[in-house]
Amino acid sequence: MNTLLIPRRSDKPEWTSLPLLCELQYPWDEDTTLAKTHFKAYHTGEDLHFQFTAYADKVRIYRKVNDKLEVRFSERVELFFREDAGLRNYYCLEMDPALRVLDYQAKHYREFNRDWQWPESLNLVCRSQADAYLLSGKISIKTLTALKLLKGNVLEAGIYRGHVLSLKGEEANIRWSSWLKPEAMEPDFHIPSSFGKWVLEE
């Protein structure tokens, strides 16, 4: 199923009361013991709220100078939003448990502008549990509209995770999971088939 219905809430609900919208899968890995990732979201009409529950026995984060590019070698969750089906313009948010955000604008195929910045604070919060980290954030509807991403009540988006199994310097052994199964033999989220639709409930 490539469509998610994002519920509308007038108040600030407890995340535990909200429905699980999807569980990410590992399209390129047959290891059934790999850590799971759950995704929830809701909107208020003014803001889109999201939460990842990313299970992990250990969270591995790369730090050297604390630049946003270090997120590439770290445990992280990701949201991509596209303006059009051909990926002539799309935006990527890669968020690690240290609350660093690798934000960039992109064009097909893999033309990245990493100097670009998301035009607002995402208000990220990360909470650790014994077996998972919960990363939550907020995106304004105004920003999604200004970037020409929200059309009516529909967003086209991708949901992903890079789960780091081992880390030595910048050598990260990463297993990639995704909401949808992209049409690619090797891990690749920067293609049209990795995106689906989010319908914001009226």
Side-chain angles (χ1 to χ4, degrees):
M1 184 177 179
N2 63 353
T3 301
L4 295 182
L5 180 63
I6 309 298
R8 181 169 184 150
R9 297 289 187 268
S10 58
D11 56 357
K12 187 177 180 180
E14 293 291 333
W15 282 108
T16 53
S17 70
L18 291 167
L20 174 65
L21 296 183
C22 67
E23 179 178 311
L24 274 59
Q25 57 182 307
Y26 289 89
W28 302 284
D29 207 307
E30 296 180 357
D31 185 352
T32 59
T33 66
L34 288 169
K36 295 181 178 180
T37 310
H38 295 162
F39 181 78
K40 293 183 176 183
Y42 71 94
H43 78 99
T44 62
E46 295 183 354
D47 297 296
L48 173 68
H49 299 256
F50 61 88
Q51 183 183 80
F52 289 85
T53 301
Y55 292 88
D57 58 346
K58 183 177 181 180
V59 176
R60 297 169 175 88
I61 299 173
Y62 175 76
R63 287 189 179 95
K64 187 175 183 181
V65 297
N66 214 34
D67 184 82
K68 76 175 189 178
L69 293 179
E70 294 176 2
V71 176
R72 294 177 298 164
F73 314 114
S74 298
E75 171 76 34
R76 63 194 184 274
V77 291
E78 306 178 356
L79 293 174
F80 292 4
F81 299 99
R82 71 183 184 187
E83 183 179 330
D84 58 80
L87 300 188
R88 288 174 294 181
N89 194 32
Y90 63 105
Y91 302 93
C92 306
L93 300 170
E94 304 187 15
M95 302 159 283
D96 75 8
L99 303 183
R100 299 179 300 180
V101 181
L102 174 53
D103 48 355
Y104 54 99
Q105 183 184 37
K107 296 182 179 180
H108 194 271
Y109 175 65
R110 289 182 172 269
E111 295 182 23
F112 302 149
N113 175 11
R114 291 190 169 123
D115 292 327
W116 182 87
Q117 292 183 317
W118 190 261
E120 65 175 343
S121 170
L122 298 173
N123 295 306
L124 296 182
V125 176
C126 189
R127 180 165 57 90
S128 296
Q129 295 183 164
D131 60 346
Y133 64 91
L134 285 72
L135 190 146
S136 308
K138 180 177 72 173
I139 297 172
S140 73
I141 298 297
K142 183 178 180 180
T143 293
L144 294 171
T145 302
L147 292 175
K148 300 180 181 179
L149 299 171
L150 183 63
K151 298 171 183 177
N153 66 331
V154 176
L155 283 168
E156 295 188 9
I159 311 168
Y160 320 103
R161 178 187 180 186
H163 177 37
V164 179
L165 298 182
S166 63
L167 179 63
K168 186 177 182 180
E170 294 183 356
E171 295 181 12
N173 178 13
I174 301 177
R175 292 294 189 272
W176 301 101
S177 56
S178 173
W179 161 37
L180 302 175
K181 184 176 181 179
E183 296 172 2
M185 296 299 294
E186 300 291 335
D188 194 350
F189 299 145
H190 297 271
I191 55 177
S193 59
S194 80
F195 290 74
K197 290 185 178 180
W198 295 7
V199 179
L200 277 57
E201 196 175 58
E202 298 290 347

